[in-house]
Amino acid sequence: MTEEKTTCSTCGREILKRTAERRNGMCAPCQRDSQKSPDELFAEAVFARIEEVTEPFSSYKNALNALASLPRGYTLCFAFHYVNADIWNGGISQLHGNSTWTMIPDAVEAAEAADNHRVASLLREVIYYYHQKNRSKLKRRITDDYFKSIPSGWQKTLAMLDDEYFAMEDQANAVISDLCSHKRSLFE
């Protein structure tokens, strides 16, 4: 016996009638989307656009070049997402060893644009840590005054930087949502 079918009231996809009855006429994905805030939907749309522009993915450099055709907010979200993910995956040393390292200045800019100065400051200190050791690989992107906010006598270790970053998980994870919620002009 074949179950009776109908269509989703939102997207028109064919679904079981009993599914529609349980989900106010919608398929499961549309019902989930209906429960998301406009800011969540906007962030999803930002990343869908990023994926559209950067696929097929060949390198971060090529992805950044492709994203340069879009408003700056897309690049900031892309860079912060991958820098943050690398740190959470294996710490700052893993970020530094990967090709995502070149996006850390963009991640600093993303945190600053999101008014998350604590995250921005710590990421700037991470760059400074490697800059002091002549291993930053960012000399062309760093201006003379880039580290003016770093206090003289600064001497943090990599372990200290990792610990500080991991201690502010909520703030770091909020950067992209804050950009998408409060800085829409960056995407226009």
Side-chain angles (χ1 to χ4, degrees), residues 4-186:
E4 192 176 346
K5 294 188 178 184
T6 187
T7 57
C8 171
S9 61
T10 303
C11 71
R13 179 182 306 151
E14 187 175 64
I15 58 174
L16 295 175
K17 188 171 183 174
R18 64 186 165 106
T19 298
E21 290 167 357
R22 282 193 320 262
R23 299 184 183 278
N24 298 320
M26 294 180 270
C27 64
C30 287
Q31 185 193 32
R32 278 192 302 274
D33 283 349
S34 74
Q35 296 170 348
K36 293 177 182 174
S37 72
D39 292 336
E40 289 174 300
L41 293 171
F42 181 77
E44 287 179 6
V46 164
F47 277 92
R49 182 73 175 125
I50 288 169
E51 187 173 319
E52 182 182 296
V53 169
T54 61
E55 291 297 323
F57 185 85
S58 57
S59 72
Y60 291 106
K61 181 180 179 182
N62 290 342
L64 289 172
N65 287 337
L67 289 169
S69 67
L70 299 178
R72 186 73 177 144
Y74 291 90
T75 297
L76 297 179
C77 285
F78 178 81
F80 192 87
H81 172 77
Y82 283 103
V83 166
N84 188 47
D86 257 4
I87 293 172
W88 287 109
N89 189 40
I92 292 166
S93 63
Q94 175 170 314
L95 169 68
H96 182 259
N98 288 346
S99 55
T100 50
W101 171 255
T102 60
M103 295 190 295
I104 194 169
D106 299 304
V108 170
E109 184 183 341
E112 287 172 344
D115 295 323
N116 195 322
H117 304 292
R118 188 168 172 226
V119 171
S121 178
L122 186 61
L123 289 174
R124 190 178 301 270
E125 289 180 51
V126 168
I127 298 170
Y128 186 67
Y129 172 85
Y130 286 104
H131 185 76
Q132 280 187 311
K133 298 181 177 309
N134 290 319
R135 296 176 49 214
S136 78
K137 305 180 231 175
L138 299 169
K139 289 186 172 125
R140 290 187 202 142
R141 294 194 64 192
I142 304 299
T143 60
D144 290 340
D145 65 343
Y146 192 79
F147 301 117
K148 70 181 178 190
S149 62
I150 308 284
S152 63
W154 182 96
Q155 296 209 356
K156 292 184 182 177
T157 66
L158 197 53
M160 291 167 74
L161 293 168
D162 272 334
D163 289 346
E164 283 185 51
Y165 197 83
F166 295 144
M168 59 178 155
E169 179 175 8
D170 292 340
Q171 295 97 326
N173 289 337
V175 167
I176 291 172
S177 62
D178 287 347
L179 285 173
C180 292
S181 299
H182 308 299
K183 304 295 180 166
R184 293 274 177 101
S185 63
L186 290 170

